Amino acid sequence: FTELCCLLCSVFRNGDLLCPPFRIIIPKNMRQDWENILIEVTEKANLRTGAVRRLCTVDGVAVSSEEELVSGQYYVAVGTEKFKKLPYVELLVPKAPAHSGLR
């Protein structure tokens, strides 16, 4: 049902490993307009560099239309600067304690 009415994605801020990704819900009626999607992401992202110019996958592949967005996936909001290849997804994986098992 969610797939039919809206698209749910999580978005990292380019180069920012301190902030967790934010979630964005893109209603079906908005999916036709890529510019509106970027405006919506810009409002939530609050990038230091200003407006979000493009979305990329966490691997740095630019997404150029709403058809390329996949619900449940992670993306990186990029402004005027270059995409910064960082271990974004590693933020989501809980780290094991450094001394686990040693007592």
Side-chain angles (χ1 to χ4, degrees):
F1 173 73
T2 310
E3 227 17 74
L4 299 174
C5 69
C6 57
L7 195 67
L8 176 65
C9 302
S10 296
V11 183
F12 288 97
R13 292 157 187 87
N14 190 34
D16 190 347
L17 291 178
L18 298 177
C19 288
F22 59 88
R23 298 185 101 174
I24 186 141
I25 297 170
I26 302 166
K28 187 176 184 166
N29 63 347
M30 187 188 193
R31 280 194 238 165
Q32 316 315 320
D33 190 348
W34 186 241
E35 283 306 308
N36 278 345
I37 291 171
L38 291 179
I39 289 167
E40 183 78 20
V41 175
T42 295
E43 287 174 8
K44 285 203 164 206
N46 238 346
L47 294 181
R48 287 188 299 269
T49 57
V52 172
R53 301 276 188 240
R54 62 189 198 271
L55 287 176
C56 294
T57 65
V58 291
D59 297 328
V61 178
V63 177
S64 55
S65 72
E66 63 282 348
E67 287 93 21
E68 295 178 43
L69 293 174
V70 178
S71 200
Q73 290 300 308
Y74 291 90
Y75 297 96
V76 179
V78 181
T80 54
E81 75 283 6
K82 284 183 170 180
F83 172 82
K84 295 181 174 92
K85 187 143 178 68
L86 296 172
Y88 295 104
V89 179
E90 287 179 19
L91 286 178
L92 306 172
V93 181
K95 292 177 180 64
H99 302 290
S100 63
L102 297 176
R103 292 195 174 212

